[in-house]
Amino acid sequence: MARLSREESRARTREQLLASAARAFARAGYGGASVDEIAEDAGFSKGAFYSNFASKEAIFLALLEQKKRGEIAAIRSLLAEPDTDALMRGLRAWLDAAHDDPALSLLAAEIELQARRSESLAAGYRALQERLSTELVGFIAAVFGRLGLRPPAPVADIAATFIAISNGAAMATDPGANQSGRLMQLFLDMVLKASRPADAGDSDG
Amino acid sequence: MARLSREESRARTREQLLASAARAFARAGYGGASVDEIAEDAGFSKGAFYSNFASKEAIFLALLEQKKRGEIAAIRSLLAEPDTDALMRGLRAWLDAAHDDPALSLLAAEIELQARRSESLAAGYRALQERLSTELVGFIAAVFGRLGLRPPAPVADIAATFIAISNGAAMATDPGANQSGRLMQLFLDMVLKASRPADAGDSDG
Amino acid sequence: MARLSREESRARTREQLLASAARAFARAGYGGASVDEIAEDAGFSKGAFYSNFASKEAIFLALLEQKKRGEIAAIRSLLAEPDTDALMRGLRAWLDAAHDDPALSLLAAEIELQARRSESLAAGYRALQERLSTELVGFIAAVFGRLGLRPPAPVADIAATFIAISNGAAMATDPGANQSGRLMQLFLDMVLKASRPADAGDSDG
Amino acid sequence: MARLSREESRARTREQLLASAARAFARAGYGGASVDEIAEDAGFSKGAFYSNFASKEAIFLALLEQKKRGEIAAIRSLLAEPDTDALMRGLRAWLDAAHDDPALSLLAAEIELQARRSESLAAGYRALQERLSTELVGFIAAVFGRLGLRPPAPVADIAATFIAISNGAAMATDPGANQSGRLMQLFLDMVLKASRPADAGDSDG
DNA sequence: TATGAATGAGAGTTCATTCAT
DNA sequence: AATGAATGAACTCTCATTCAT
């Protein structure tokens, strides 16, 4: 194996700490996870942690960024699909898969809650969330366009509902049965069923 | 004001502690709220807290019970409305109002998250959640019946989606704009638009 | 059953509290036993406790007094036995029995330790302990006299050793095997074997 | 003084905490001594305490180990003395000296009491106590052998009595006059006087 | 006399963070 | 860059005691 350059080694440490933090936060929550535990689980000391992240909140925020980035990338890659049927299949598959990891979903919920309670966290969070939301709105609009349907409600609201279901379902009673994907598909179906052809005009009746 | 009997005084203390706890948990989360703060905010000492509630978890659970009880009562009172139009108006009003208090909704989210992390909390929680879920399923089925519509998806899943939106929306980006009620109404609209008359038979075409 | 007079009822309450306290202190130690637990175990409230004893320390001292009184009475009743052989048999029986209750012995140890740490407790304790010690010294001297033996060491030291063994054995490793009685008998044997006839004069050879 | 290495510094902190704990426990008892007080008296923060010992119980147990280790070493060093007269002088000197510190003796008593009340403490305690007991039994047997005397009672019982006196005497009335050494010497004298030459056969007469 | 709600000081313990090594 | 000993504030919870009822 090639010797890692100093920069590479640092990046690697960072990745390992992030992965360890994701596990810890998902399992124990923001307050319940300790910096010590995160560092140790990644195979480092507390000192190493603080060499890589300014604070516990900082790694939390970094985690959030990582996650949102991933979701945005997924949305973009879906849109790149030229065939609309394939796009819809891909969408359904993603809804299932993306939220397959209950730990990850819980982490999302944790992040959202925590962001409401720390000004500094919220500041960093807002921008990312905005970007995801914008991306999702654009995506939904595009999908309706490609399906030739008129959205039955403001696209921004539809997007918000998807996000709400995603966050809310992760917290449902039964930890085993991850409903997130299923409920989002259900909502997708409702929305599609409630839609009318785009060329049907504006009138409802 | 009449002098309070000992029992009344105790009940009053309990209520005040519960109210204070609701505020504290909503503002700072379960981990972030301290027993000391809850007690002081209610005008009592830590000792008074512990002579009324066995633990921090206990008051959290009591709060949960109070909230769920309130929601179940609201559902039942809605169903008691004989006029279906009035019922639907009441339902929409309730969706708006019941989730008007963002603090309360956040508390719900917090409870759900916390329940996943404490065995003892989860134990007490499960039963109540079950009751609310059952109630909601029955309510939704009844509403479809009275509207003469066939549910476009399993009623249990529709109920679960409502609960997910309720929990998830409370956590949305903007703490000011409480979207909970609006998104649930949106979902209600989708569901109704996606439904067909009950007497249309089972066939989709 | 005859109705108890107020004074009798009070005395009864006191006795029950004392008995409950003896159990509690023996099981959990002075610090570990709570006033609440003592009162409840006796079937009363904390208020009743404080109506009967000024403080936790006070009931502890009262317990000590009760115990020492009992031991002094036992010693006196042994000495009243005119037949020396019977006296010795009675002594051995008492050594076995009096220390049969490991809880009681532990209580004694607890009391002695605690008395060293509270000036007010020590004050009340000293007098009682003095009385027991004096009584024991007199008893041992009398026994030697009746046996026609000369004590092989100062009688006060022999008495102190008995007391030390009694207290110390109660704390031995194995909670089940109460060695107190056995070890005191062993010491008694040693002392007797090491003694010479009183009329043998002062010379050792 | 040379700058301490990190390891040395840690060991020093540990020693200081142990010394401070010994003082605190002896003065105030297990329950009466607080972790805060122990740490402060040693010149450290509570945090430093907990980075050196897992719990209050843990330092208590460490203290016990230290003490027992010292006693076992003393016994062994006594036995190494080839001259029997010198050994006996050494033994008497040790009985006086080893128990000279009333605080240390009280600590022993406290430990024994506490061990009966905490399962985890008792677990760690039992092994050490066993080792000391075994050591003492071997020592006493060896002494009798070298003196050419036959023990007048089972050696294990004689050892148990020594331990009981040691523990019990520490708790005696007068905190100033430490009787421990004197009473153990007295018991030693009794035992020796009560012994017969080993070659005198089994018969008592 | 007895009750038990309330007090308030103080307990053991945890943990994010700092900094000398 | 990494270590981990030390800090110190904050936490949940306990309990002897008081006092209005």
Side-chain angles (χ1 to χ4, degrees):
Chain A
M1 204 188 296
R3 178 81 66 98
L4 295 175
S5 81
R6 199 178 294 188
E7 230 162 278
E8 283 167 336
S9 158
R10 187 181 163 78
R12 219 177 116 75
T13 301
R14 228 186 108 89
E15 283 321 308
Q16 287 172 326
L17 284 168
L18 275 169
S20 171
R23 282 191 296 276
F25 287 137
R27 181 171 47 72
Y30 181 78
S34 79
V35 168
D36 205 13
E37 164 197 1
I38 292 171
E40 213 144 298
D41 180 47
F44 295 94
S45 67
K46 264 178 299 196
F49 177 96
Y50 279 97
S51 288
N52 280 279
F53 296 95
S55 65
K56 188 183 180 185
E57 212 178 77
I59 201 176
F60 200 56
L61 200 56
L63 214 44
L64 165 69
E65 173 144 10
Q66 199 182 49
K67 189 176 147 55
K68 295 289 177 197
R69 246 200 250 285
E71 291 188 347
I72 289 175
I75 288 172
R76 291 202 176 150
S77 110
L78 278 176
L79 260 192
E81 168 61 55
D83 179 57
T84 299
D85 278 357
L87 186 158
M88 293 308 285
R89 280 196 307 274
L91 173 55
R92 286 172 190 279
W94 179 61
L95 288 182
D96 262 10
H99 304 272
D100 215 29
D101 185 353
L104 211 67
S105 297
L106 254 185
L107 175 58
E110 186 76 34
I111 283 173
E112 309 259 354
L113 269 173
Q114 213 58 35
R116 296 195 54 142
R117 288 175 184 133
S118 159
E119 206 40 65
S120 49
L121 193 55
Y125 168 72
R126 210 90 65 192
L128 286 168
Q129 181 65 11
E130 207 82 358
R131 272 167 54 199
L132 176 60
S133 190
T134 305
E135 202 78 25
L136 194 55
V137 167
F139 174 75
I140 292 172
V143 168
F144 271 102
R146 284 174 58 171
L147 289 172
L149 292 176
R150 188 157 54 84
V155 176
D157 283 353
I158 295 178
T161 307
F162 268 111
I163 292 174
I165 294 176
S166 168
N167 286 328
M171 308 181 323
T173 319
D174 193 345
N178 177 38
Q179 314 187 74
S180 202
R182 213 174 77 251
L183 297 189
M184 280 195 284
Q185 291 215 35
L186 183 150
F187 180 60
L188 177 61
D189 287 338
M190 295 299 103
V191 168
L192 294 181
K193 276 195 201 164
S195 301
R196 301 171 164 235
D199 51 1
D202 256 12
S203 72
D204 228 42
Chain B
M1 202 188 298
R3 190 72 75 85
L4 296 176
S5 82
R6 249 217 235 172
E7 216 163 298
E8 283 166 338
S9 159
R10 184 179 223 279
R12 217 177 118 74
T13 299
R14 220 187 116 92
E15 282 322 309
Q16 287 171 327
L17 285 169
L18 275 169
S20 170
R23 281 190 298 275
F25 285 138
R27 180 170 46 73
Y30 182 79
S34 80
V35 169
D36 204 8
E37 166 197 357
I38 293 172
E40 211 143 302
D41 179 48
F44 296 95
S45 66
K46 259 183 298 190
F49 177 96
Y50 279 99
S51 82
N52 277 280
F53 296 94
S55 64
K56 188 185 178 183
E57 213 177 77
I59 200 176
F60 199 55
L61 202 52
L63 219 41
L64 164 69
E65 174 141 13
Q66 202 181 49
K67 189 178 146 54
K68 295 285 178 199
R69 243 198 250 287
E71 292 189 345
I72 289 177
I75 289 173
R76 293 205 174 147
S77 110
L78 279 176
L79 258 191
E81 169 62 55
D83 179 56
T84 298
D85 279 357
L87 185 159
M88 292 308 286
R89 278 196 306 276
L91 172 56
R92 285 171 192 281
W94 180 62
L95 288 182
D96 261 9
H99 304 270
D100 213 31
D101 184 355
L104 212 67
S105 296
L106 251 188
L107 176 58
E110 186 75 37
I111 283 173
E112 308 259 354
L113 269 173
Q114 212 57 37
R116 297 194 56 142
R117 292 185 179 127
S118 160
E119 206 41 66
S120 49
L121 193 55
Y125 167 72
R126 211 87 67 190
L128 285 168
Q129 181 63 12
E130 206 84 358
R131 272 166 54 197
L132 176 60
S133 187
T134 305
E135 203 78 24
L136 194 55
V137 167
F139 174 74
I140 293 172
V143 167
F144 273 101
R146 283 171 57 170
L147 290 171
L149 293 175
R150 187 157 55 85
V155 175
D157 282 353
I158 295 177
T161 306
F162 268 111
I163 291 174
I165 294 175
S166 168
N167 287 327
M171 306 182 324
T173 319
D174 193 347
N178 176 37
Q179 316 189 75
S180 200
R182 215 176 73 251
L183 299 189
M184 281 197 283
Q185 290 214 36
L186 184 152
F187 180 60
L188 176 61
D189 287 337
M190 297 298 103
V191 167
L192 293 181
K193 278 196 197 161
S195 302
R196 300 168 164 239
D199 51 2
D202 258 12
S203 72
D204 232 41
Chain C
M1 203 189 298
R3 177 80 67 96
L4 294 176
S5 81
R6 199 180 292 190
E7 231 162 279
E8 283 167 337
S9 158
R10 187 182 162 78
R12 217 177 118 73
T13 301
R14 229 185 109 89
E15 282 321 307
Q16 287 172 326
L17 283 169
L18 276 169
S20 172
R23 282 191 297 275
F25 286 137
R27 180 169 48 71
Y30 182 79
S34 79
V35 168
D36 204 12
E37 165 197 0
I38 292 171
E40 213 143 298
D41 179 50
F44 295 94
S45 67
K46 264 179 297 197
F49 177 96
Y50 280 97
S51 289
N52 281 279
F53 296 95
S55 66
K56 190 184 179 184
E57 211 177 76
I59 201 177
F60 200 55
L61 200 55
L63 216 43
L64 164 69
E65 175 145 9
Q66 199 182 48
K67 188 177 149 53
K68 295 287 178 199
R69 248 200 248 286
E71 291 187 350
I72 289 175
I75 288 172
R76 292 204 173 147
S77 110
L78 278 176
L79 259 192
E81 168 61 56
D83 180 55
T84 299
D85 278 358
L87 185 159
M88 293 307 286
R89 279 197 306 275
L91 172 56
R92 285 171 191 281
W94 180 61
L95 288 182
D96 262 10
H99 304 271
D100 215 30
D101 185 353
L104 210 67
S105 296
L106 254 185
L107 175 58
E110 187 75 36
I111 283 173
E112 307 259 355
L113 270 173
Q114 212 58 36
R116 296 194 54 140
R117 291 180 183 130
S118 160
E119 206 40 65
S120 49
L121 193 54
Y125 168 72
R126 208 90 66 191
L128 286 169
Q129 182 64 11
E130 205 83 359
R131 272 166 55 199
L132 175 60
S133 188
T134 304
E135 202 79 25
L136 194 55
V137 167
F139 174 74
I140 291 172
V143 168
F144 271 102
R146 284 172 57 170
L147 289 173
L149 293 176
R150 186 157 56 84
V155 175
D157 283 352
I158 295 178
T161 307
F162 267 111
I163 292 174
I165 294 176
S166 169
N167 286 328
M171 308 181 323
T173 318
D174 192 346
N178 176 37
Q179 314 187 74
S180 203
R182 213 175 76 253
L183 298 189
M184 280 195 285
Q185 290 215 35
L186 184 151
F187 179 61
L188 176 61
D189 287 338
M190 295 297 103
V191 168
L192 295 181
K193 276 195 200 162
S195 300
R196 300 169 164 237
D199 50 2
D202 256 13
S203 72
D204 231 43
Chain D
M1 204 187 296
R3 190 71 77 83
L4 294 176
S5 83
R6 247 214 237 174
E7 215 163 298
E8 284 165 337
S9 159
R10 183 178 223 279
R12 218 176 118 74
T13 300
R14 222 186 114 91
E15 283 321 309
Q16 288 172 327
L17 284 169
L18 275 170
S20 171
R23 282 191 295 276
F25 285 138
R27 180 169 46 73
Y30 182 79
S34 80
V35 168
D36 203 8
E37 164 198 359
I38 292 171
E40 210 145 304
D41 178 48
F44 295 94
S45 67
K46 262 186 295 190
F49 177 97
Y50 278 99
S51 83
N52 277 280
F53 296 94
S55 64
K56 188 184 179 185
E57 213 177 77
I59 200 176
F60 199 55
L61 202 53
L63 219 42
L64 164 68
E65 174 141 10
Q66 201 182 49
K67 189 176 146 55
K68 294 286 179 199
R69 243 198 249 288
E71 291 189 347
I72 288 176
I75 289 172
R76 291 205 174 149
S77 107
L78 279 176
L79 259 190
E81 168 61 56
D83 179 55
T84 300
D85 278 359
L87 186 158
M88 292 308 285
R89 279 196 305 275
L91 172 56
R92 284 172 193 281
W94 180 60
L95 288 182
D96 261 11
H99 304 271
D100 214 30
D101 185 354
L104 211 67
S105 296
L106 250 187
L107 175 59
E110 186 75 36
I111 282 172
E112 309 258 355
L113 269 173
Q114 213 56 37
R116 299 194 54 141
R117 287 176 186 135
S118 160
E119 206 40 67
S120 48
L121 193 55
Y125 167 71
R126 211 87 68 189
L128 286 169
Q129 181 65 12
E130 205 84 357
R131 271 166 54 199
L132 176 61
S133 188
T134 305
E135 202 78 23
L136 194 55
V137 166
F139 174 74
I140 292 172
V143 168
F144 272 102
R146 281 170 62 168
L147 290 173
L149 293 175
R150 187 156 56 83
V155 174
D157 281 354
I158 294 176
T161 306
F162 268 111
I163 291 174
I165 293 175
S166 169
N167 286 328
M171 306 183 322
T173 320
D174 192 346
N178 177 37
Q179 317 187 72
S180 202
R182 217 175 74 249
L183 298 189
M184 281 196 283
Q185 289 215 37
L186 184 152
F187 180 60
L188 176 62
D189 287 337
M190 298 296 103
V191 167
L192 294 182
K193 277 195 199 164
S195 301
R196 300 168 166 239
D199 51 1
D202 259 10
S203 71
D204 230 42

